[in-house]
């Protein structure tokens, strides 16, 4: 025992020494780094080991220190320090100078503030050792860490709360509800500060919790939602593994009990009573009943059904999906006189049944519904309800078609009166006896006009006409043979001139408006007036058609081009009726193949194709005709325009205005004087008597004679200007009578220029003297604008001089 204890102690000492050695070596390596141990470094020993420059202990500081003095953390020391105070220790990094202070001489480090590991777990600092005199770095800067040592100062907390879970009712013991988890901010690697265990503070009689995992489970098997639908459970989490002194936190978990279908439907009453009138139509709702169910959700969904046979026949039950009520409706018409009270058994059952709870009982319930039928005054009813009658179309007016019968279904059995709804028989073809209901014809019937008649018959109580019933009646008009057969169409046939005997010309069919029940059967023969016919024959084919054949060789259209063949058609009756129709046969020319080419009463059939030469000739003729027509139209138009220009010549076109200023000498196109010369011949008259006397042109000429030297246009004595006067007067008269006529003409008078003008008139029209002694040579000096005027008067002056000479 002693040897064992001694061995154990030695083992512990060796282990402690080994840990210390390893820690010192690790600190040394971290401090010096790769820069230490270079060749020539005095710190290197001969064995190759590095000389340690820094010596200090492991640095830890306890959190939440509440003492008044600074908390001692540790000491840094250089092995070169001989204790004479020549070395100065400093630190830098996180919290240096604020949280952590160092004694420059001894290297002791103290914490001056209260630390919290949950906020910061360690601090990284750097240490330096310098010569106090020279401030030179004696040791390389070294980094070290101060760890904050944890204490149990944080309680467990439920971070995901509030918690809400659910579990089905009647779940077995141990059914998992949900899991809760608490978090502890303490160091889980140090001690038991972060080891959390769970327990139930409230609700332990119904639920349990796993101390390690926090899973909540049911503790009982009889949880009933209908009794209590939710529970509030308080869960506590304690650290230090639940030991004494551990901190704890709690949370409230809400557990909702979900529903299962463990309750059957139940009717609150065992009998329900309803009433309804007997005239209620099919589908009318009588009433509603509902079975109660303590469950919720889809577990309350129910279906209802009628269980008894009588109720199934007369009534129908449906489920209102919104209210889960049973709706009872009428399935067949009710009759108070037949049955006054009906009893219906209605059953309710759950739509979704949970097989786990079948042993709890039957999930259905029944109730009785009594339906009382109320009596009402009903309209008459038609019996039997047949709506088809038949009558022959040759029935006389007043003939009975049929009889309708209606009875009052009420116990009073009131008498019934009948009538016809005239909106369905506006022409009053039928009448009805108001008391007996006999329907008779009111007019002559014709099946070919209307084969069916649809009328509405009214039946009403004699003393209460508001109680009216209606019945639709179809009356069929039966056919009698009253229409003779007729040819289907006005047949026309053609026969070739070279036709041979027995050749088929035409097939004849007939129509008959009657419709005998045994079908049509027609007989064909030639009419008596055609008995002497030797040209054509008629053959009855026995299928209600007949064929016409030729009976001779060849025909000549020059002799006869049309043949009229009367045909007698007889039906099968009874009685047999007949009619005569005429077949028109035309004689036509045919080609060798038998194709008709032409008939006397029709245009010749032209071949559909023409030769190219014929087409060209036809086009040339058409072109010539078109050219002739255009030429005639052009000549007519030209002749008409010539006549119009002569008729429309107007004298006003020759009236020339002189009150506009001309363009000068260069303007030779302003006025065309030939317009005045073209109608009348004005003579140019010289001054004096027309002779060139010696006295003329001399210096003794008076001023008045000089004014007559301008070219003069004077009126010839033998000319009559009455045409102008008449024209102007006619126009003035028209303008006076019609104020809408614009003034096309203006007449300018140049004969008078004023009574007080000192200058005589220069107008050539008013100048009658031809003599002139004026010299117009000065006009040449007026510039290019008057060059033509100067030439005109200078030339005129030269002619006068030559005549005088």
């Amino acid at each position: 025992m002693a040897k064992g204890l001694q061995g154990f102690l030695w083992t512990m000492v060796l282990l402690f020494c080994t840990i210390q050695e390893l820690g010192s070596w690790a600190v040394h390596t971290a401090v010096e780094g790769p820069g230490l141990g270079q060749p020539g470094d005095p710190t290197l020993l001969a064995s190759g080991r590095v000389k340690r420059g820094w010596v200090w202990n492991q640095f830890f500081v306890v959190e939440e220190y509440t003492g008044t003095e600074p908390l001692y953390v540790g000491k840094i020391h250089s092995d070169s320090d001989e204790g004479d105070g020549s070395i100065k220790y400093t630190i830098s990094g996180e919290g240096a100078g604020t949280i952590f202070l160092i004694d420059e001489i001894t290297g002791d480090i103290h914490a001056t503030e209260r630390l919290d590991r949950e906020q910061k777990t360690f601090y990284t600092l750097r240490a330096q050792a310098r010569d106090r005199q020279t401030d030179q770095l004696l040791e390389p800067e070294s980094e070290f860490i101060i760890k904050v040592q944890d204490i149990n100062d944080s309680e467990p907390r439920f971070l995901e709360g509030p918690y809400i879970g659910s579990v089905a009712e009647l779940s077995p013991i141990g059914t998992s509800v949900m899991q809760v988890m608490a978090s502890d901010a303490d160091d889980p690697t140090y001690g038991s500060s972060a080891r959390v265990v769970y327990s139930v503070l409230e609700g332990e009689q119904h639920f349990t919790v796993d101390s390690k995992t926090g899973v909540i489970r049911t503790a009982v098997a009889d949880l009933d939602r209908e009794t209590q639908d939710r529970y509030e459970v308080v869960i506590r989490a304690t650290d230090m593994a639940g030991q004494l002194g551990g901190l704890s936190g709690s949370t409230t978990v809400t557990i909702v009990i979900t529903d299962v279908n463990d309750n059957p439907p139940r009717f609150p009453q065992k009998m329900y009573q309803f009433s309804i009138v007997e005239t209620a139509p099919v589908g009318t709702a009588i009433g509603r009943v509902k079975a109660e169910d303590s469950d919720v959700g889809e577990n309350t969904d129910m279906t209802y059904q009628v269980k008894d046979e009588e109720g199934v026949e007369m009534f129908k039950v449906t489920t209102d999906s919104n209210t889960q009520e049973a709706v009872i409706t009428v399935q067949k018409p009710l009759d108070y006189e037949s049955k006054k009270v009906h009893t219906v058994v209605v059953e309710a059952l759950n739509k979704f049944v949970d097989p786990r709870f079948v042993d709890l009982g039957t999930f259905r319930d029944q109730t009785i519904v009594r339906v009382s039928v109320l009596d009402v005054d009903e309209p008459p009813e038609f019996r039997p309800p047949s709506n088809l009658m038949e009558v022959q179309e040759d029935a006389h007016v007043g003939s009975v078609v049929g009889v309708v019968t209606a009875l009052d279904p009420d116990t009073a059995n009131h008498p019934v009166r009948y009538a016809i709804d005239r909106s369905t028989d506006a022409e009053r073809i039928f009448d009805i006896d108001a008391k007996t209901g006999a329907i008779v014809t009111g007019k002559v019937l014709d099946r070919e006009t209307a084969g069916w008649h649809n009328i509405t018959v009214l039946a009403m109580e004699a003393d209460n006409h508001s109680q009216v019933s209606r019945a639709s009646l179809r009356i069929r008009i039966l056919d009698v043979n009253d229409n003779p057969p007729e040819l289907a169409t006005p047949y026309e046939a053609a026969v070739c001139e070279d036709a041979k005997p027995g050749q088929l010309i035409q097939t004849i069919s007939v129509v008959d408006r009657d419709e005998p029940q045994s079908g049509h059967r027609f007989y064909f023969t030639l009419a008596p007036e055609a008995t002497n016919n030797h040209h054509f024959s008629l053959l009855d084919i026995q299928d209600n058609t007949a064929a016409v054949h030729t009976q001779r060789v060849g025909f000549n259209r020059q002799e006869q081009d049309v043949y009229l063949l009367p045909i007698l058609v007889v039906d099968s009756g009874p009685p047999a009726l007949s009619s005569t129709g005429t077949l028109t046969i035309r004689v036509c020319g045919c080609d060798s193949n038998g194709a008709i080419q032409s008939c006397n009463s029709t245009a010749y059939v032209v071949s559909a194709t023409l030769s190219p030469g014929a087409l060209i000739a036809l086009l040339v003729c058409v072109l010539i005709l078109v050219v002739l027509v255009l030429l005639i139209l052009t000549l007519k138009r030209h002749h008409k325009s010539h006549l119009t220009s002569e008729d429309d010549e107007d004298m006003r076109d020759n009236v020339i205005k002189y009150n506009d200023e001309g363009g000068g000498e260069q303007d030779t196109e302003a006025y065309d004087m030939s317009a005045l010369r073209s109608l009348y011949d004005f003579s140019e008259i010289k001054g004096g008597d027309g002779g060139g006397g010696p006295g003329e042109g001399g210096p003794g000429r008076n001023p008045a004679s000089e004014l007559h030297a301008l070219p003069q246009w004077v009126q010839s004595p033998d000319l009559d200007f009455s045409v102008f006067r008449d024209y102007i007067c006619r126009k003035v008269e028209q303008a006076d009578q019609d104020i809408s006529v614009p003034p096309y003409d203006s007449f300018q008078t140049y004969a008078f220029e004023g009574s007080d003008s000192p200058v005589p008139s220069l107008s050539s029209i008013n100048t009658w003297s031809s003599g002139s002694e004026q010299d117009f040579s000065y006009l040449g000096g007026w510039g290019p604008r008057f060059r033509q005027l100067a030439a005109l008067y200078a030339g005129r002056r030269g002619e006068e001089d030559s005549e005088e000479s």
Side-chain angles (χ1 to χ4, degrees):
M1 180 91 180
K3 289 184 178 180
L5 180 58
Q6 185 178 4
F8 175 76
L9 292 175
W10 278 106
T11 302
M12 295 299 296
V13 170
L14 289 175
L15 181 60
F16 176 78
C17 293
T18 302
I19 294 174
Q20 185 176 7
E21 184 68 18
L22 289 174
S24 300
W25 181 78
V27 171
H28 166 75
T29 302
V31 170
E32 294 184 356
L36 297 176
Q38 297 296 331
D41 193 330
T43 60
L44 290 176
L45 301 179
S47 62
R49 294 183 61 188
V50 180
K51 181 182 179 182
R52 293 177 294 172
W54 288 105
V55 178
W56 55 62
N57 297 324
Q58 296 278 341
F59 292 159
F60 294 93
V61 61
V62 179
E63 67 170 336
E64 304 298 342
Y65 173 70
T66 58
T68 58
E69 298 294 333
L71 179 62
Y72 178 76
V73 177
K75 180 185 183 68
I76 60 173
H77 180 71
S78 175
D79 53 4
S80 62
D81 187 2
E82 297 179 355
D84 55 358
S86 61
I87 297 177
K88 176 183 177 182
Y89 297 98
T90 60
I91 59 174
S92 61
E94 295 177 337
T98 56
I99 299 176
F100 303 103
L101 300 178
I102 187 173
D103 190 320
E104 295 181 353
I105 298 174
T106 63
D108 295 332
I109 300 174
H110 292 80
T112 62
E113 294 184 6
R114 184 177 179 180
L115 303 180
D116 187 359
R117 192 203 67 82
E118 284 71 33
Q119 294 183 357
K120 191 171 182 63
T121 57
F122 64 89
Y123 295 85
T124 303
L125 295 94
R126 292 177 297 278
Q128 293 180 351
R130 295 179 179 273
D131 187 279
R132 188 177 295 277
Q133 300 297 330
T134 62
D135 199 28
Q136 291 183 355
L137 191 63
L138 299 178
E139 298 286 350
E141 186 178 57
S142 176
E143 184 178 279
F144 64 97
I145 295 174
I146 300 177
K147 293 184 178 180
V148 181
Q149 190 173 5
D150 183 48
I151 63 173
N152 189 19
D153 60 342
S154 298
E155 71 279 0
R157 295 184 179 180
F158 294 92
L159 303 180
E160 298 180 2
Y163 294 92
I164 299 177
S166 63
V167 64
E169 61 176 334
L170 302 181
S171 296
I173 298 174
T175 302
S176 176
V177 178
M178 65 179 303
Q179 183 182 18
V180 295
M181 294 186 66
S183 177
D184 196 320
D186 291 329
D187 189 358
T189 63
Y190 181 77
S192 300
S193 299
R195 289 182 59 188
V196 179
V197 294
Y198 302 93
S199 61
V200 179
L201 284 182
E202 296 180 11
E204 64 275 3
Q205 63 271 33
H206 297 101
F207 300 95
T208 61
V209 63
D210 190 292
S211 61
K212 295 181 179 180
T213 61
V215 176
I216 302 174
R217 300 178 185 275
T218 58
V220 294
D222 59 349
L223 294 176
D224 187 9
R225 187 203 63 83
E226 288 74 29
T227 303
Q228 185 174 351
D229 61 352
R230 67 176 55 218
Y231 294 88
E232 303 291 338
V233 180
V234 180
I235 304 298
R236 179 174 62 184
T238 306
D239 60 9
M240 294 297 292
Q243 297 177 6
L244 187 62
L247 303 178
S248 64
S250 63
T251 185
T252 300
V253 179
T254 301
I255 300 177
V256 178
I257 308 302
T258 59
D259 184 59
V260 296
N261 193 8
D262 59 338
N263 294 280
R266 291 290 181 263
F267 283 102
Q269 301 174 213
K270 288 304 178 182
M271 179 178 290
Y272 296 86
Q273 292 189 357
F274 298 100
S275 59
I276 187 170
V277 296
E278 61 176 333
T279 57
V282 174
T284 302
I286 299 174
R288 291 172 175 248
V289 296
K290 182 178 181 181
E292 302 294 339
D293 194 330
S294 301
D295 296 322
V296 294
E298 67 177 10
N299 295 323
T300 62
D301 291 349
M302 281 176 274
T303 57
Y304 298 89
Q305 58 186 4
V306 179
K307 293 301 293 182
D308 60 310
E309 294 181 0
E310 179 188 356
V312 170
E313 182 181 359
M314 298 298 299
F315 303 98
K316 181 181 179 181
V317 176
T318 57
T319 304
D320 189 330
S321 59
N322 295 325
T323 62
Q324 296 302 315
E325 292 177 321
V327 182
I328 305 171
T329 56
V330 178
Q331 185 162 301
K332 290 183 66 176
L334 303 174
D335 187 10
Y336 173 82
E337 289 72 24
S338 300
K339 192 170 185 178
K340 299 178 176 60
V341 178
H342 297 269
T343 302
V344 184
V345 178
V346 178
E347 183 181 64
L349 63 156
N350 279 131
K351 186 182 294 185
F352 306 103
V353 178
D354 195 333
R356 296 177 300 170
F357 309 107
V358 174
D359 56 347
L360 295 180
T362 303
F363 283 81
R364 61 183 63 199
D365 193 21
Q366 293 182 352
T367 188
I368 298 175
V369 178
R370 290 172 54 88
V371 180
S372 299
V373 181
L374 304 178
D375 185 28
V376 295
D377 189 7
E378 298 176 272
E381 295 180 357
F382 286 92
R383 299 176 185 177
S386 176
N387 61 350
L388 177 62
M389 293 183 179
E390 295 179 346
V391 62
Q392 295 284 342
E393 67 173 321
D394 58 349
H396 297 290
V397 176
S399 300
V400 177
V401 178
V403 179
V404 294
T405 302
L407 299 176
D408 185 8
D410 298 325
T411 54
N413 195 15
H414 297 96
V416 178
R417 296 293 179 263
Y418 303 92
I420 294 178
D421 186 353
R422 288 305 172 186
S423 64
T424 61
D425 185 26
E427 298 179 2
R428 294 183 175 272
I429 298 176
F430 301 97
D431 292 322
I432 190 171
D433 190 289
K435 295 182 179 181
T436 63
I439 299 176
V440 297
T441 57
K443 289 184 178 180
V444 176
L445 303 177
D446 185 11
R447 189 204 64 81
E448 287 72 31
T449 303
W452 288 88
H453 295 273
N454 298 321
I455 64 175
T456 299
V457 179
L458 309 178
M460 63 198 78
E461 294 181 1
D463 54 351
N464 186 7
H465 288 181
S466 62
Q467 297 296 329
V468 180
S469 295
R470 297 172 178 265
S472 297
L473 185 63
R474 301 172 68 236
I475 301 177
R476 179 182 179 183
I477 309 301
L478 300 179
D479 183 47
V480 296
N481 192 25
D482 58 347
N483 293 280
E486 299 175 352
L487 294 182
T489 59
Y491 286 102
E492 289 190 6
V495 61
C496 296
E497 288 182 302
D498 55 354
K500 298 178 181 181
Q503 182 175 342
L504 177 64
I505 299 176
Q506 183 69 46
T507 300
I508 304 298
S509 62
V510 298
V511 294
D512 194 335
R513 297 178 61 190
D514 295 323
E515 292 183 359
Q517 296 181 356
S518 59
H520 290 289
R521 179 67 182 93
F522 303 109
Y523 303 94
F524 299 87
T525 183
L526 293 177
E529 58 265 27
T531 54
N532 297 327
N533 169 61
H534 301 290
H535 306 292
F536 306 97
S537 64
L538 179 66
L539 176 62
D540 192 341
I541 307 177
Q542 304 295 323
D543 62 350
N544 294 333
T545 61
V548 179
H549 298 82
T550 58
Q551 201 173 358
R552 55 175 274 189
V553 178
F555 295 87
N556 188 350
R557 355 177 227 180
Q558 302 298 329
E559 297 178 358
Q560 186 174 353
D561 60 345
V562 177
Y563 292 89
L564 301 178
L565 185 64
I567 299 174
L568 178 65
V569 183
V570 183
D571 62 16
S572 57
L577 300 178
S578 63
S579 68
T580 301
T582 302
L583 172 64
T584 302
I585 303 174
R586 300 184 183 277
V587 180
C588 302
C590 303
D591 58 10
S592 59
N593 297 325
I596 296 176
Q597 295 295 318
S598 65
C599 299
N600 285 353
S601 59
T602 60
Y604 286 97
V605 178
V606 183
S607 176
T609 58
L610 295 176
S611 62
L615 288 175
I616 293 175
L618 182 62
L619 292 175
V620 169
C621 293
V622 171
L623 183 61
I624 292 174
L625 289 175
V626 171
V627 171
L628 289 176
V629 170
L630 292 177
L631 183 60
I632 292 172
L633 292 176
T634 304
L635 292 176
K636 277 187 167 185
R637 183 177 297 176
H638 179 71
H639 181 66
K640 183 177 180 180
S641 63
H642 179 70
L643 293 176
T644 303
S645 62
E646 291 181 355
D647 296 340
D648 293 344
E649 184 175 4
D650 200 343
M651 294 301 295
R652 66 190 177 191
D653 294 337
N654 297 316
V655 178
I656 308 301
K657 294 191 295 184
Y658 292 90
N659 59 344
D660 294 334
E661 181 180 353
E665 195 173 275
Q666 296 177 349
D667 187 2
T668 60
E669 299 179 359
Y671 300 99
D672 187 6
M673 299 299 294
S674 63
L676 296 176
R677 298 191 183 100
S678 62
L679 297 178
Y680 304 100
D681 185 14
F682 291 97
S683 300
E684 185 178 353
I685 304 175
K686 297 182 182 179
D689 55 358
E696 295 180 3
R701 185 179 303 173
N702 55 23
S705 63
E706 293 179 357
L707 296 177
H708 297 162
L710 292 173
Q712 308 288 325
W713 296 103
V714 298
Q715 178 181 357
S716 177
D718 56 348
L719 295 178
D720 185 9
F721 281 89
S722 62
V723 119
F724 288 103
R725 182 171 55 256
D726 295 342
Y727 173 76
I728 292 173
C729 292
R730 191 165 60 252
K731 288 297 182 180
V732 169
E733 183 178 359
Q734 291 179 1
D736 290 341
Q737 294 177 356
D738 188 359
I739 61 174
S740 63
V741 176
Y744 287 111
D745 307 298
S746 69
F747 184 73
Q748 305 293 337
T749 302
Y750 296 94
F752 183 70
E753 294 188 3
S755 57
D756 297 332
S757 175
V759 181
S761 173
L762 298 178
S763 173
S764 60
I765 297 178
N766 197 31
T767 303
W768 299 99
S769 175
S770 61
S772 176
E773 298 178 358
Q774 186 175 358
D775 186 7
F776 294 98
S777 59
Y778 62 88
L779 296 177
W782 285 13
R785 291 182 178 274
F786 300 93
R787 184 178 303 164
Q788 186 173 356
L789 186 63
L792 179 63
Y793 284 94
R796 181 66 182 168
R797 181 63 178 173
E799 291 177 2
E800 292 178 358
D801 292 345
S802 62
E803 289 177 0
E804 291 176 359
S805 63

